[in-house]
Amino acid sequence: MKIMKNINISTLFGHPVTFKQKILFVAVTGLIMASIVYTFEAVRTERSIIREEIIKKAEVVTELASHIGELPLISENEEHAKKAISSLMKIPEISFISFYDKNQNLLTTEGDINPPKRTHPEQDMTIIEHNDYFDLCTPVFTVRAQEDIAIFQETDSNMEVRDHVGWVRIGFSKTFMKEAESSIVMRGLIIALIFTIISITLIYKLFDVATKPLTSLTTAVKSIRRGKYPEIPVSSEDEIGTLTTEFNRMSRSIKDREDMLITQLHLSAFAADIGKALTESDNLDAMLDECISTIVKYRDPALARIWIYNNEEHLLELKASSGIFTIENSPFKTIPVGSYEAGTIAEKHTSHYTNNIEELYPDDLELAKLNGIEAYAGYPLIVEKQLVGVLEIYALQPIAGDILSTLEYVVNEIGLGIQHKLTALQIASSLREKEVLLREVHHRVKNNMQVISSLLNLQSDKLRDKQYIAMFNESRNRILAMALVHEKLYRSEDIANIDFSDYIASLANGLFSFYDISPLRIQLKLDIESINLVLDTSIPCGLIINELISNALKHAFPDDSKGELSISFRKLNVLGKDTYNLIVKDNGVGVPADLDFRKTRSLGLQLVTTLVEHQLQGSLKLERTSGTEFNILFREPEYKKRM
Amino acid sequence: MVGSKHKYLLMMIVITTIALFVRPVESADVIILGDTKLKPVADVVNGIKETLPYDTIVKRPSNVKGKLKRLIEKNGIRAVIALGKDAVIMSHALPESIPVVYGLVIKPLKTDRPNITGVYMQTPVSEYISFIDKYFPKIKTVGIVCEHETQKDIKITAKSPKVKLCGANNPYEFIEEVNSLGDDVDALILLPERKLITSKVLEQVYLYSFREKRPVIGISEKYVKTGSLFSLGFQTYEMGKQIGSMTNRVVSQGSTSGIPHSPPDNYSLYINKKTADSMNIHLPEELLSRATKVYP
């Protein structure tokens, strides 16, 4: 039992053992054991039978010999004895024959074996078994009639007398018995082997047949794993048949669910692609082309096209087409609302789909027939009850319900996308108009400021006092500095911001020119980052720079002395916030040590202080160590929207 | 004291006992000794009773062994019929004054006792010779193998030139003699020789017969069944009647004087047609019509 418990047939040489192999293993083991037991028992029985048969034959032969020996023993004649023996020795199993007279004297003997002495039986036959032969001995009697009448008539045995005349002794060889036994053993083994092989084959076939449905089910389950959903023929009404039926139902159910899932995934992918086309396309035409391409890609119609409704002219304009017609080769680029299928759909605001093209309008029918069209689907693209266009599908095969569902699913999205793009176009157009207007305003402001500057120039020509002339010039420069801001704005691509590096360079060059300063005498060094500033910051900032440059050009280098003027404008990150740093520095004579620029009567410096600290809400620091350096820090203020 | 009632009862018991154990005296003229359990003996006894006009009693020899003489004297038996060898031996011990008629013995008894006569069973060779002469003329010579003593009797009783006699002392010699006959004889007459005729001898005789195509003739129906061409055999009942008649004469004259040992008066003819066919022996119609039984 312990051994049996230790036998594990769940694996064989490390491989899992199948149910069929387990059954075969048990059946084959049982068969072999049964064959061995049966063969052993059959051989044992047959050996026993053969032995009995041999003994019986020996007894019969001995009995025959007793009859044959009657005459030789009665007559005690050796010739008769030899004759009898020679006839008996023809029996191949006989090893020796001996005749003994009634006094147990050996009368004659013949054979291969010299029989050992033995006690002769009185009445019945006796058998002594030797290794190689059976030693049979039987008394020989002669029968004579007891009554005379017995000679004449058939009477009962009571009238007969048996006279003992001697013995006959026969050695019956075992050679034939052993040969027969060997033959039986060999035959038994061969039969057992054949039986085992045939039985194993039959059992294998039987189990093959029995497990075939299970194998089919296993194969089918593997197919399901690979994405196929086979149905197995139900060949019986037993448990296997029920299992097969339930499996088929399960397979169908999984297939239906997977189909549904695939459809939904397909639909989702289709919708996602349509959504992508709707959202990522730059313009309406590209969006519609992408939508049509997506429809063709997923539904493969013969023709798909989108008409856009022109409200002003009350017609449909072809905006996207793919399939047998593109926009370029389409026979119609526009159709009136109310004409053709698309026009009718636009007019009625109702979709129309059919697998019978005879229902189409004659012109559309002609087009369909010419191109082998079988089915049609058209949908109005309506947003908030307003028609924006029509989507049409022409198919070479009948359109299935799932295609219609898919199209219905995206029709509203496409409508919304079209509406969105149309709205975006309108907004962009409006913005462009406003920008043009703003540029015009800035241009006009700049022109007006230049006019003011020119007027001031003309007015200053009437003056003789240099102080007043200088005042007029300073005012002119301030106006021009502001005009330069407006000029940079209307020239800028971005109407709201000014590239301040460009502005500073233009302003500095303008002032150098105004004051007629040679760059050879005062060298201008600009260290300016490309920084964009809004108008509200640019104006005060421009005025500050104008005042500081003008101040340096006027006072820092007296007597045509040479020097250097450097302007630095950088964006810094101070405490996590963008901070601008403007430095205007010269290596000129510098401001007097006792000059408090906040209390000076110079309008320019007052203006600088006011603009920095009040308008820009920054800080201003004056360094006088080597020349003059104005260091200004400010953040761009948050301006209120001017709406 | 025994009462009168009990006295009668005692007497009744004594009388009943006597009646049960004392057998009445059997009165008969002839006693038949024979084992009637054997059917042939019973048939003979029936034949005897059919013809014998005297009262008879039948006794098995084993039952009257040592008591026969007293039984005869006591019952006034006038003759004894001895059937079979044992009965004949027993009757030899009787006084010569008591006539004995024997039956169911093979040959005529060789005895010097004058009170014994009877009917023996052996068919005389002369009967066979005359039968062969009449119906099988092609059989010119017949062989007979028998005991030497029988040989002498035959030479006396059946003196015929066509008979070739051979003597034998035992079955081996018998077979030797038969085989030595070879072509010298056309047929072999088998005689009921107890010492010689054994089953093995018969097998050898028949082997000789069929090999050499020499028909065996005799001894009785039993031998015809197993291959003899024909036999002349006695009939037990008829033999009984013959013994009965002989006994009647013996009782009438009071002795066996003048009454010789006799063979059977009547014979039954049995024929084996197959044997005849195998040996190309023609069976005349007359012969077939006479046959008691023809084995096909």
Side-chain angles (χ1 to χ4, degrees):
Chain A
M1 286 300 290
K2 196 174 178 182
I3 293 169
M4 288 301 288
K5 281 180 183 174
N6 289 334
I7 291 173
N8 182 6
I9 57 171
S10 60
T11 58
L12 186 66
F13 304 119
H15 297 286
V17 178
T18 63
F19 173 71
K20 189 170 157 184
Q21 287 169 335
K22 284 178 186 174
I23 292 292
L24 272 175
F25 176 76
V26 172
V28 167
T29 308
L31 267 172
I32 291 171
M33 288 177 71
S35 296
I36 290 169
V37 170
Y38 177 78
T39 306
F40 178 77
E41 185 60 25
V43 167
R44 196 178 67 80
T45 306
E46 286 206 40
R47 284 182 65 178
S48 172
I49 290 169
I50 284 175
R51 182 185 167 80
E52 286 177 11
E53 289 290 324
I54 292 286
I55 291 172
K56 203 174 283 179
K57 186 175 179 182
E59 287 175 346
V60 170
V61 169
T62 308
E63 189 66 31
L64 178 68
S66 73
H67 288 290
I68 292 172
E70 183 182 346
L71 181 60
L73 288 172
I74 288 171
S75 61
E76 296 185 353
N77 183 285
E78 280 191 25
E79 288 304 315
H80 265 296
K82 284 179 183 172
K83 203 182 286 181
I85 283 173
S86 68
S87 66
L88 288 168
M89 285 302 286
K90 289 173 185 170
I91 299 169
E93 289 93 337
I94 292 178
S95 302
F96 68 87
I97 300 174
S98 302
F99 286 117
Y100 296 85
D101 65 15
K102 56 189 172 187
N103 298 318
Q104 298 197 10
N105 296 317
L106 181 63
L107 187 63
T108 184
T109 185
E110 188 175 332
D112 306 329
I113 299 169
N114 190 19
K117 286 188 177 177
R118 60 169 291 189
T119 306
H120 298 307
E122 289 293 329
Q123 290 295 324
D124 299 321
M125 183 189 302
T126 58
I127 302 174
I128 296 173
E129 185 172 356
H130 297 276
N131 287 336
D132 297 328
Y133 63 94
F134 294 104
D135 186 353
L136 295 98
C137 188
T138 187
V140 179
F141 298 92
T142 187
V143 179
R144 59 183 176 81
Q146 187 178 19
E147 291 291 340
D148 291 346
I149 188 69
I151 288 184
F152 294 90
Q153 297 191 351
E154 289 168 347
T155 54
D156 55 34
S157 58
N158 289 336
M159 295 175 72
E160 292 178 349
V161 174
R162 293 200 327 155
D163 290 330
H164 180 218
V165 294
W167 285 270
V168 62
R169 187 176 167 193
I170 288 180
F172 212 81
S173 173
K174 283 184 173 178
T175 307
F176 289 89
M177 186 177 82
K178 287 177 180 173
E179 285 175 0
E181 284 177 352
S182 300
S183 171
I184 283 169
V185 170
M186 187 56 68
R187 194 181 62 193
L189 287 173
I190 290 169
I191 288 171
L193 186 66
I194 292 168
F195 170 77
T196 304
I197 290 169
I198 291 172
S199 301
I200 288 169
T201 308
L202 287 174
I203 286 174
Y204 182 82
K205 288 288 177 191
L206 185 67
F207 273 97
D208 198 38
V209 170
T211 57
K212 198 173 179 182
L214 290 176
T215 308
S216 300
L217 281 171
T218 307
T219 308
V221 169
K222 287 179 181 172
S223 297
I224 287 177
R225 199 175 60 192
R226 290 194 296 270
K228 294 177 181 175
Y229 302 95
E231 290 208 12
I232 304 163
V234 180
S235 56
S236 63
E237 295 181 356
D238 54 10
E239 291 83 350
I240 297 291
T242 308
L243 179 64
T244 308
T245 305
E246 292 303 321
F247 172 81
N248 288 338
R249 283 182 187 160
M250 183 193 75
S251 177
R252 278 196 298 274
S253 175
I254 292 174
K255 186 179 185 310
D256 291 345
R257 287 182 188 179
E258 190 175 287
D259 287 348
M260 191 170 72
L261 200 61
I262 288 169
T263 304
Q264 286 178 348
L265 282 172
H266 203 252
L267 189 62
S268 298
F270 178 58
D273 282 358
I274 290 290
K276 193 176 173 184
L278 292 174
T279 54
E280 294 186 358
S281 300
D282 294 333
N283 54 61
L284 178 64
D285 291 342
M287 183 192 81
L288 295 177
D289 283 341
E290 193 63 30
C291 285
I292 286 296
S293 298
T294 304
I295 290 170
V296 170
K297 174 185 167 187
Y298 280 91
R299 290 304 171 200
D300 193 27
L303 175 63
R305 54 190 182 184
I306 294 174
W307 302 86
I308 295 296
Y309 174 59
N310 187 331
N311 191 27
E312 293 173 0
E313 297 181 31
H314 196 52
L315 51 79
L316 293 173
E317 295 175 350
L318 184 63
K319 285 293 182 182
S321 179
S322 181
I324 53 176
F325 295 120
T326 59
I327 291 178
E328 287 73 25
N329 64 6
S330 175
F332 308 104
K333 299 288 191 295
T334 59
I335 54 172
V337 171
S339 301
Y340 304 98
E341 283 296 328
T344 307
I345 288 166
E347 185 181 54
K348 294 181 179 176
H349 287 206
T350 54
S351 58
H352 178 217
Y353 39 81
T354 178
N355 287 328
N356 179 14
I357 58 169
E358 296 297 331
E359 293 178 5
L360 298 179
Y361 274 74
D363 291 336
D364 295 297
L365 178 62
E366 185 182 357
L367 179 144
K369 284 184 174 177
L370 280 171
N371 294 282
I373 302 298
E374 288 280 325
Y376 171 84
Y379 299 91
L381 305 173
I382 297 170
V383 179
E384 293 178 351
K385 299 182 181 178
Q386 294 296 316
L387 180 74
V388 295
V390 172
L391 170 66
E392 283 186 304
I393 301 288
Y394 289 82
L396 295 171
Q397 292 165 345
I399 300 174
D402 61 322
I403 296 176
L404 293 174
S405 303
T406 309
L407 292 172
E408 283 174 2
Y409 184 78
V410 299
V411 158
N412 290 335
E413 301 297 321
I414 293 172
L416 283 170
I418 292 170
Q419 179 68 23
H420 176 74
K421 286 293 179 192
L422 288 174
T423 305
L425 280 173
Q426 287 175 355
I427 289 170
S429 176
S430 175
L431 282 173
R432 269 196 305 275
E433 288 175 6
K434 283 179 182 177
E435 188 181 319
V436 168
L437 282 173
L438 197 56
R439 285 179 195 277
E440 185 62 28
V441 167
H442 282 298
H443 189 234
R444 289 190 183 186
V445 168
K446 190 253 328 179
N447 287 343
N448 289 338
M449 283 183 169
Q450 281 185 336
V451 168
I452 291 167
S453 175
S454 297
L455 287 174
L456 285 174
N457 188 34
L458 288 173
Q459 191 66 42
S460 66
D461 288 342
K462 304 296 182 188
L463 295 175
R464 293 289 180 260
D465 189 343
K466 286 185 178 180
Q467 188 181 358
Y468 292 118
I469 292 169
M471 288 173 66
F472 269 83
N473 287 336
E474 286 172 5
S475 294
R476 278 184 60 205
N477 285 338
R478 289 180 187 121
I479 290 165
L480 287 173
M482 288 189 288
L484 185 61
V485 169
H486 287 282
E487 183 183 353
K488 292 296 177 187
L489 278 173
Y490 80 75
R491 289 186 187 281
S492 169
E493 287 185 4
D494 181 2
I495 195 71
N497 294 293
I498 296 172
D499 181 0
F500 220 68
S501 60
D502 182 43
Y503 174 78
I504 289 171
S506 298
L507 182 61
N509 289 326
L511 288 172
F512 266 67
S513 176
F514 180 78
Y515 288 107
D516 195 20
I517 303 290
S518 170
L520 298 173
R521 190 172 70 88
I522 299 173
Q523 191 174 355
L524 179 63
K525 287 190 175 178
L526 297 176
D527 180 16
I528 301 165
E529 290 182 2
S530 178
I531 296 170
N532 288 328
L533 292 176
V534 297
L535 177 65
D536 288 348
T537 306
S538 297
I539 294 293
C541 205
L543 285 172
I544 290 166
I545 293 167
N546 177 67
E547 290 304 326
L548 292 175
I549 292 172
S550 298
N551 193 46
L553 293 177
K554 284 191 294 184
H555 305 295
F557 305 100
D559 303 326
D560 296 330
S561 59
K562 291 184 178 181
E564 184 180 280
L565 176 64
S566 59
I567 302 167
S568 169
F569 190 50
R570 293 179 177 280
K571 187 192 276 187
L572 306 175
N573 190 322
V574 179
L575 299 176
K577 292 187 176 178
D578 288 341
T579 304
Y580 300 100
N581 183 208
L582 175 64
I583 299 170
V584 178
K585 181 182 175 183
D586 65 71
N587 56 357
V589 295
V591 294
D594 56 347
L595 179 67
D596 184 357
F597 67 90
R598 285 188 176 82
K599 293 179 180 175
T600 184
R601 295 185 62 178
S602 168
L603 179 62
L605 289 177
Q606 285 178 6
L607 194 60
V608 168
T609 305
T610 302
L611 289 170
V612 169
E613 293 182 348
H614 295 286
Q615 191 156 349
L616 295 177
Q617 296 176 347
S619 64
L620 174 63
K621 199 165 70 176
L622 175 61
E623 288 287 336
R624 314 165 199 243
T625 51
S626 56
T628 305
E629 178 184 304
F630 287 93
N631 193 327
I632 297 166
L633 285 170
F634 67 92
R635 290 174 184 157
E636 197 164 25
E638 292 182 0
Y639 302 103
K640 290 180 180 177
K641 290 183 178 177
R642 295 182 178 84
M643 285 297 294
Chain B
M1 289 294 289
V2 179
S4 58
K5 192 175 178 182
H6 290 96
K7 210 181 274 181
Y8 288 127
L9 184 61
L10 190 61
M11 284 175 69
M12 287 279 289
I13 291 168
V14 171
I15 291 165
T16 307
T17 307
I18 291 167
L20 283 171
F21 289 96
V22 178
R23 296 171 69 182
V25 176
E26 292 176 295
S27 177
D29 298 312
V30 177
I31 183 168
I32 303 171
L33 297 176
D35 189 355
T36 50
K37 284 184 179 176
L38 301 174
K39 188 177 177 299
V41 177
D43 288 344
V44 171
V45 170
N46 289 334
I48 292 168
K49 286 181 178 177
E50 175 71 23
T51 53
L52 191 62
Y54 299 104
D55 292 333
T56 58
I57 55 173
V58 181
K59 294 289 183 185
R60 296 180 68 187
S62 56
N63 290 345
V64 296
K65 199 171 184 180
K67 300 183 287 187
L68 181 62
K69 186 180 174 187
R70 194 162 63 86
L71 184 66
I72 290 168
E73 289 170 353
K74 194 174 179 181
N75 294 303
I77 297 298
R78 296 164 67 186
V80 174
I81 299 174
L83 300 176
K85 194 170 61 178
D86 290 345
V88 170
I89 291 168
M90 198 177 283
S91 65
H92 268 70
L94 292 173
E96 289 185 354
S97 58
I98 299 171
V100 175
V101 178
Y102 64 82
L104 295 179
V105 294
I106 296 171
K107 299 175 185 175
L109 283 181
K110 302 286 185 188
T111 179
D112 53 355
R113 292 178 70 89
N115 62 326
I116 294 177
T117 188
V119 181
Y120 54 89
M121 294 181 287
Q122 180 180 315
T123 305
V125 174
S126 56
E127 288 291 334
Y128 281 113
I129 297 298
S130 60
F131 212 84
I132 289 166
D133 287 342
K134 185 172 182 181
Y135 295 109
F136 302 99
K138 288 186 177 176
I139 296 175
K140 304 293 184 190
T141 316
V142 293
I144 297 173
V145 181
C146 55
E147 293 175 33
H148 291 291
E149 197 174 339
T150 309
Q151 195 178 8
K152 292 175 190 169
D153 293 340
I154 292 171
K155 281 178 180 174
I156 298 164
T157 58
K159 204 171 186 178
S160 169
K162 66 181 347 177
V163 175
K164 182 174 183 182
L165 275 172
C166 301
N169 291 317
N170 55 46
Y172 168 68
E173 286 182 8
F174 183 94
I175 291 166
E176 288 294 308
E177 289 296 332
V178 167
N179 289 329
S180 68
L181 288 173
D183 297 337
D184 294 345
V185 297
D186 298 322
L188 182 68
I189 294 174
L190 212 54
L191 297 181
E193 299 282 15
R194 282 191 64 190
K195 284 184 184 175
L196 304 180
I197 305 297
T198 66
S199 57
K200 282 288 153 195
V201 168
L202 281 172
E203 283 176 19
Q204 295 297 320
V205 167
Y206 286 126
L207 270 174
Y208 161 80
S209 168
F210 285 98
R211 278 179 190 157
E212 303 293 335
K213 296 199 181 301
R214 302 284 185 267
V216 173
I217 295 163
I219 302 172
S220 64
E221 181 185 5
K222 174 180 160 183
Y223 298 86
V224 173
K225 262 194 212 174
T226 53
S228 291
L229 179 61
F230 73 91
S231 73
L232 297 169
F234 69 92
Q235 294 170 347
T236 48
Y237 185 75
E238 293 299 324
M239 179 172 276
K241 285 166 70 176
Q242 186 179 349
I243 292 169
S245 300
M246 185 179 279
T247 306
N248 191 19
R249 283 180 59 197
V250 168
V251 172
S252 299
Q253 66 184 35
S255 71
T256 60
S257 175
I259 302 173
H261 302 257
S262 303
D265 285 342
N266 299 301
Y267 302 102
S268 295
L269 173 63
Y270 298 95
I271 298 171
N272 190 324
K273 194 167 184 298
K274 188 172 270 184
T275 300
D277 291 341
S278 68
M279 296 185 186
N280 296 322
I281 296 169
H282 173 67
L283 296 173
E285 284 301 321
E286 185 188 349
L287 181 72
L288 291 172
S289 63
R290 278 190 58 179
T292 305
K293 186 168 184 180
V294 176
Y295 287 92

